[in-house]
Amino acid sequence: MGLTKTIWAKPAEFIAHQQPQHPVMFFAPGVLQDVARRFIDGFPGFVSYAVKANPMEVVIENLATAGLRGFHVGSVTEMRMIRRLAPDAVIHYNNPVRARAEILAAAAMAVKSFAVDSRSELAKLIELLPASGIEVSVRFRLPTAAPDDKARAKFGADPALAAELLIAVAAAGFTPSLSFHTGTQCTEASEWVRHILAAAEIAAQAGVQIARLNVGGGFPGHRLNGVKPDLKGIFAAIAETTQSAFGAAAPRLVCEPGRGMVAECFTLGTCVRALRDDEHVFLNDGTYGSLDELPLVGLTDRIEVLSPEGRPKTAAPRPRVLFGPTCDPVDRLPGEVPLAGDLAEGDHLLFHGLGAYSTATNTRFNGFGDVAVETVLALR
Ligand SMILES: *Cc1c(COP(=O)(O)O)cnc(C)c1O
């Protein structure tokens, strides 16, 4: 009939029909909406999506459809996009450092929640924003034992400065709140517990009752077959600790997941361009493209090998070195990856759980990185 099929059953069906030579991001909107509802129904507070993890319009639109009402942005460009795609949503501008023009742009877009971690940035907010109806959340961090700890820390006031800032925020007439961010791909509920206990101490030291506590992002994606993230356990620990640490003065909770929200709804499809002397695997995507963050956060083992006909290859695995397509020698995935022993040129590798910090950080270096997006009903 000449009709073009635009929604595929799963990646294997697309591969068998289209034999793509370029990298493909397979997107399952149903998976995204399920995860969004898991956060909205399970988290004991307000859920705000950290846009930077994956700012694709289909992601924002599906989150809004799933009922998500909050977005955490770091830039004016992200803010404009949210106002365009989800006009009624609440925007949290939690990048603690901003140019004056960026503060004014946020105010003009009716943004009412800001984070700070320094005296100088708070002074700018006091100068440029009306006090009433604006929440200012003091972002704190817990020091580590490293000798250069303070010099290396990009964001977050230490607890003593956080208490001082909280007093100044309240005195300026802003609604005082606290926030922290555990760091990305945090699998330990104890990290949230430790930070929530510290937040209660900071508020007590300041003598300020906080309106909200923003427990940040960091919710883990599923990166290794053997390690399943336990979102429910983390949510329960957050709720219990907040009650026990703050008691009757318990603040309302906010979280801002990036990775945990979008990782699972995308699978990256890559193609083997060459199997050099049956040893090195050269893919058509790599660390300058959708696999950008693997050298930082480590390899995933949720990888499937499909033949050009879309059939799984299941021969006994053999460890392989994987290179990306660019001419830069650092364009290599960390470690060695066990892949089906009968792997061949033209086969496809599916990397599951790759929706976060993938398309968002693709550089297109060396003429590669042109990734297509295909919609699927299911990813397997
Ligand atoms: C990036 C970021 C997030 C999201 O982090 P994930 O690890 O992707 O969940 C949340 N909060 C802040 C302040 C961030 O900068």
Side-chain angles (χ1 to χ4, degrees):
M1 301 276 292
L3 286 176
T4 308
K5 185 171 183 181
T6 55
I7 298 182
W8 302 85
K10 54 184 185 169
E13 187 196 28
F14 177 83
I15 286 169
H17 281 82
Q18 303 289 316
Q19 316 249 304
Q21 297 303 302
H22 49 76
V24 181
M25 271 290 185
F26 294 102
F27 173 52
V31 173
L32 176 57
Q33 296 203 22
D34 281 353
V35 176
R37 278 188 287 266
R38 227 173 287 155
F39 270 98
I40 294 167
D41 298 343
F43 181 76
F46 185 72
V47 181
S48 184
Y49 169 61
V51 173
K52 74 174 186 289
N54 188 326
M56 288 168 62
E57 296 198 353
V58 282
V59 168
I60 307 301
E61 286 163 356
N62 275 279
L63 287 173
T65 302
L68 198 95
R69 288 290 166 264
F71 293 87
H72 155 51
V73 305
S75 66
V76 172
T77 300
E78 287 182 347
M79 219 174 280
R80 287 203 190 101
M81 179 179 62
I82 297 304
R83 279 286 177 260
R84 179 166 56 82
L85 297 175
D88 302 330
V90 173
I91 292 180
H92 296 173
Y93 189 9
N94 286 352
N95 184 341
V97 177
R98 309 165 196 85
R100 281 165 209 276
E102 291 166 338
I103 298 171
L104 294 174
M109 280 185 263
V111 174
K112 295 191 166 17
S113 180
F114 297 77
V116 288
D117 63 2
S118 63
R119 299 180 189 96
S120 51
E121 291 302 296
L122 176 58
K124 283 195 217 166
L125 294 184
I126 291 173
E127 183 191 323
L128 297 173
L129 295 174
S132 88
I134 302 281
E135 172 185 52
V136 175
S137 185
V138 175
R139 176 152 165 198
F140 70 93
R141 63 180 283 271
L142 296 179
T144 68
D148 53 351
D149 175 59
K150 196 159 175 146
R152 286 166 57 130
K154 184 166 180 184
F155 294 124
D158 62 33
L161 176 58
E164 179 194 321
L165 292 173
L166 201 53
I167 293 169
V169 164
F174 293 127
T175 303
S177 292
L178 281 171
S179 62
F180 63 85
H181 179 46
T182 60
T184 201
Q185 187 64 21
C186 180
T187 49
E188 303 297 328
S190 60
E191 276 301 292
W192 278 275
V193 169
R194 194 164 83 87
H195 282 84
I196 293 167
L197 295 175
E201 277 175 31
I202 292 166
Q205 197 190 336
V208 171
Q209 182 163 350
I210 57 170
R212 299 204 291 184
L213 174 60
N214 180 336
V215 300
F219 300 92
H222 185 192
R223 307 194 73 260
L224 297 172
N225 278 308
V227 187
K228 268 231 155 184
D230 177 17
L231 276 187
K232 276 192 178 157
I234 295 171
F235 293 161
I238 290 171
E240 282 160 23
T241 312
T242 304
Q243 270 313 316
S244 64
F246 287 90
R252 284 171 292 134
L253 289 168
V254 181
C255 71
E256 41 190 31
R259 178 190 304 280
M261 187 70 85
V262 291
E264 201 54 32
C265 62
F266 282 87
T267 288
L268 171 67
T270 62
C271 183
V272 177
R273 295 165 65 236
L275 182 52
R276 194 171 62 183
D277 291 340
D278 197 30
E279 191 163 357
H280 293 147
V281 180
F282 280 72
L283 300 176
N284 60 357
D285 203 359
T287 66
Y288 284 97
S290 317
L291 297 162
D292 166 82
E293 72 157 13
L294 265 57
L296 295 173
V297 299
L299 196 62
T300 160
D301 64 1
R302 296 182 62 209
I303 303 174
E304 267 185 280
V305 180
L306 300 183
S307 72
E309 297 76 39
R311 280 194 287 276
K313 286 202 159 174
T314 54
R318 168 174 160 193
R320 303 278 195 178
V321 173
L322 299 185
F323 289 107
T326 71
C327 296
D328 188 335
V330 307
D331 187 5
R332 184 206 143 146
L333 302 194
E336 293 197 356
V337 189
L339 295 175
D342 54 349
L343 182 77
E345 182 182 324
D347 283 350
H348 297 265
L349 262 55
L350 298 181
F351 291 76
H352 294 289
L354 224 71
Y357 307 108
S358 49
T359 54
T361 50
N362 184 338
T363 67
R364 296 179 159 264
F365 172 54
N366 214 178
F368 295 98
D370 196 4
V371 181
V373 178
E374 297 292 340
T375 305
V376 292
L377 293 175
L379 290 164
R380 278 178 184 272

